[in-house]
Amino acid sequence: ALKLNQIMLSSYHLMSEYANIKFIHVSGTRYYQSVLDDIEKNVYQVGENVKILGYLKDMPTYLHAADLVISRAGASTINEIIA
């Protein structure tokens, strides 16, 4: 999960010009505070169209609304995505 967070956070500066596209980044509770700290320290440039969350309680609603999901490939995650 750490590497996926780093890769996605490193790419969001490229997405800032696409204000009509919304990104929901679920970092995981373990990494949430360090992600916010890194953004605060300008380690990562994250535009207004990116929302960082530690955890998502209503995952099915967000998955249903998504056009694209970039995720870890665990069995539980795959089941949530295809549901």
Side-chain angles (χ1 to χ4, degrees):
L2 176 61
K3 192 64 173 173
L4 186 55
N5 277 329
Q6 292 169 335
I7 290 167
M8 290 308 301
L9 289 162
S10 294
S11 66
Y12 286 135
H13 73 280
L14 301 170
M15 312 302 180
S16 62
E17 66 187 77
Y18 302 103
N20 60 325
I21 300 174
K22 305 301 179 211
F23 297 90
I24 307 297
H25 182 108
V26 183
S27 65
T29 55
R30 179 177 180 184
Y31 300 107
Y32 180 66
Q33 192 56 55
S34 65
V35 165
L36 294 182
D37 291 344
D38 285 347
I39 292 169
E40 175 92 15
K41 292 185 253 179
N42 288 317
V43 173
Y44 302 110
Q45 286 71 50
V46 176
E48 295 294 321
N49 59 337
V50 178
K51 184 173 184 177
I52 308 292
L53 302 170
Y55 180 77
L56 201 62
K57 290 185 181 185
D58 194 11
M59 186 69 77
T61 299
Y62 282 81
L63 289 173
H64 181 67
D67 292 318
L68 174 69
V69 175
I70 299 172
S71 172
R72 293 172 44 189
S76 297
T77 303
I78 299 299
N79 281 328
E80 285 181 331
I81 293 170
I82 64 173

